[in-house]
Amino acid sequence: MAFGDYPAEYNPKVHGPYDPARFYGKADVPFGQVKLGEIGAWLGRRNKTPNAVAGAVSRAWWRWQHKYVFPKRAGIAPFFQLTVASMTFFYLINYTKLKHHRNYKYH
Amino acid sequence: MFSRAALLTAQRPLTVAATRSAAAAAAPGGAIERRQRPEHPGKVRLGFLPEEWFQFFYNKTGVTGPYTFGVGLITYLCSKEIYVMEHEYYSGLSLGIMAIIAVKKLGPVIAKWADGEIDKIESEWKEGREAELKVLSDAIEAEKKEQWRADGALLLMEAKKENIALQLEAAFRERAMNVYSEVKRRLDYQVECRHVERRLSQKHMVNWITTNVLASISPQQEKETLNKCIADLSALALRVKSA
């Protein structure tokens, strides 16, 4: 699978038009239904190659867009969500620097 | 509510899907699930938190659970100064307050305007599509009418053929009549010829016989005949006198 190709499991004759938000591989148990004891095994079954991770992020992005951005009467929520997410992200990556601005010595 | 620019990106996959739908339609499986564009986005609370998050808490903690969790988490982060309230915090706070006021004040107005715009765009597209459908159905109707007219032309052709057949029949009969009358004329001529011939020959023969008979009568015979006639007349006269 090179850059710009469809996933290997995608078959236009079976799946129809390509949906970038859809996972075409074999479905595992959803994360929400995994028992605590099985989390290790569940994580062990995940494909952790860079390609797969990028694909997962891409699908998540598309699903989020389909849910909040693409609907006909979409609201302002996706903008706020993006703002909050980016605020959190930048806070985390700058945390080592922001730490020095603490006002109290003891907590 | 602020911008519908995202709609343009939304339409791109739709067109891609449309171009590829021909290949998909030929699928042997038949039913292919297509993603439908929803009318409304996913529900959120407090402007950005998904409804599903609250539903996840609802089963375990009830209605106030997620809020309590949020407040507790913020309290913990602030108390331990994991979240540091440096100068950016206050600028962020003021920006947040301004954003909330802007959304509360302008949100409904802009939402109404944007909804009107999207409805207008959709109705325009729908109108165009329906106009196209109407044009096509009209064309089909016109085509059917033309075919009906072509059937009429066939009928006309039949009539013309019949007409020509009649004309041919008339010409044939006229010629047959012609032949008949010509033949009759010739035959009549022949008959007339025979009649004339026979009349002439008869006349000739009568003349010949008369001449010959007259020539065969001698003066002696004539005299005897005259005497006999006179005798007959006197005998007749006697009979009349006696009567």
Side-chain angles (χ1 to χ4, degrees):
Chain A
M1 195 173 90
F3 282 109
D5 281 359
Y6 290 125
E9 298 90 353
Y10 169 63
N11 180 1
K13 282 177 184 153
V14 178
H15 301 118
Y18 182 67
D19 183 354
R22 189 175 152 187
F23 177 61
Y24 286 101
K26 198 171 172 299
D28 204 339
V29 185
F31 182 69
Q33 294 169 19
V34 178
K35 299 275 188 298
L36 272 181
E38 294 164 359
I39 280 182
W42 190 87
L43 285 174
R45 284 200 301 275
R46 298 276 67 73
N47 186 355
K48 286 177 280 293
T49 59
N51 264 351
V53 172
V57 171
S58 165
R59 285 195 305 275
W61 172 250
W62 274 101
R63 269 208 304 282
W64 175 79
Q65 279 193 306
H66 275 302
K67 188 166 179 188
Y68 293 107
V69 183
F70 293 160
K72 195 174 149 193
R73 305 196 189 284
I76 199 166
F79 299 93
F80 278 161
Q81 285 170 345
L82 268 188
T83 310
V84 171
S86 53
M87 274 163 65
T88 314
F89 176 70
F90 284 105
Y91 187 85
L92 287 177
I93 60 172
N94 288 317
Y95 185 66
T96 48
K97 288 151 193 157
L98 288 165
K99 220 160 53 172
H100 304 303
H101 293 273
R102 280 174 174 170
N103 297 317
Y104 300 95
K105 194 169 180 182
Y106 304 105
H107 293 92
Chain B
M1 283 181 225
F2 271 145
S3 163
R4 307 287 183 184
L7 295 177
L8 292 172
T9 43
Q11 277 144 18
R12 203 169 303 140
L14 285 180
T15 51
V16 170
T19 51
R20 233 185 268 126
S21 61
I32 289 171
E33 279 182 35
R34 284 172 191 282
R35 184 181 284 281
Q36 300 291 325
R37 186 187 180 194
E39 173 92 15
H40 296 285
K43 275 196 177 135
V44 289
R45 289 194 201 176
L46 301 176
F48 69 100
L49 286 170
E51 180 73 18
E52 287 83 354
W53 176 250
F54 293 90
Q55 289 305 319
F56 171 70
F57 271 92
Y58 179 76
N59 295 331
K60 275 107 180 160
T61 65
V63 177
T64 54
Y67 299 102
T68 314
F69 170 76
V71 171
L73 184 69
I74 289 167
T75 312
Y76 168 72
L77 292 176
C78 293
S79 159
K80 295 286 173 189
E81 278 211 305
I82 296 168
Y83 184 70
V84 184
M85 293 185 197
E86 27 71 52
H87 57 284
E88 288 285 3
Y89 165 73
Y90 296 99
S91 85
L93 201 62
S94 53
L95 267 174
I97 288 166
M98 282 195 282
I100 287 166
I101 290 170
V103 167
K104 292 285 178 198
K105 287 280 173 197
L106 301 175
V109 183
I110 293 171
K112 197 165 167 250
W113 169 81
D115 282 353
E117 284 293 301
I118 193 73
D119 283 342
K120 207 162 77 188
I121 290 169
E122 202 184 81
S123 69
E124 271 170 17
W125 285 20
K126 204 177 166 188
E127 208 175 297
R129 185 173 147 277
E130 275 169 2
E132 185 76 6
L133 277 176
K134 193 176 176 306
V135 165
L136 291 176
S137 61
D138 282 356
I140 289 169
E141 283 303 313
E143 175 62 26
K144 276 182 182 164
K145 202 168 182 185
E146 283 305 315
Q147 284 178 2
W148 176 72
R149 280 180 183 156
D151 283 350
L154 278 182
L155 214 66
L156 192 68
M157 210 62 199
E158 283 294 313
K160 278 181 177 173
K161 276 180 186 168
E162 209 168 310
N163 209 352
I164 286 168
L166 278 176
Q167 281 175 19
L168 285 173
E169 179 73 20
F172 169 74
R173 288 192 180 188
E174 194 189 329
R175 286 179 188 186
M177 191 63 206
N178 207 9
V179 166
Y180 166 76
S181 56
E182 285 296 313
V183 168
K184 189 171 182 302
R185 210 160 59 78
R186 277 161 176 73
L187 289 176
D188 283 351
Y189 168 75
Q190 295 293 332
V191 168
E192 200 61 29
C193 281
R194 292 291 175 282
H195 282 166
V196 167
E197 222 166 83
R198 210 167 65 192
R199 205 164 59 237
L200 281 177
S201 56
Q202 210 169 10
K203 193 178 165 189
H204 182 72
M205 189 162 240
V206 166
N207 278 343
W208 180 73
I209 289 170
T210 317
T211 335
N212 276 342
V213 167
L214 286 176
S216 70
I217 296 170
S218 58
Q220 177 71 30
Q221 265 178 334
E222 206 168 336
K223 210 174 181 179
E224 278 174 14
T225 309
L226 199 64
N227 288 339
K228 178 79 170 81
C229 284
I230 289 164
D232 281 355
L233 278 171
S234 45
L236 271 172
L238 279 178
R239 241 185 311 164
V240 170
K241 221 180 263 179
S242 64

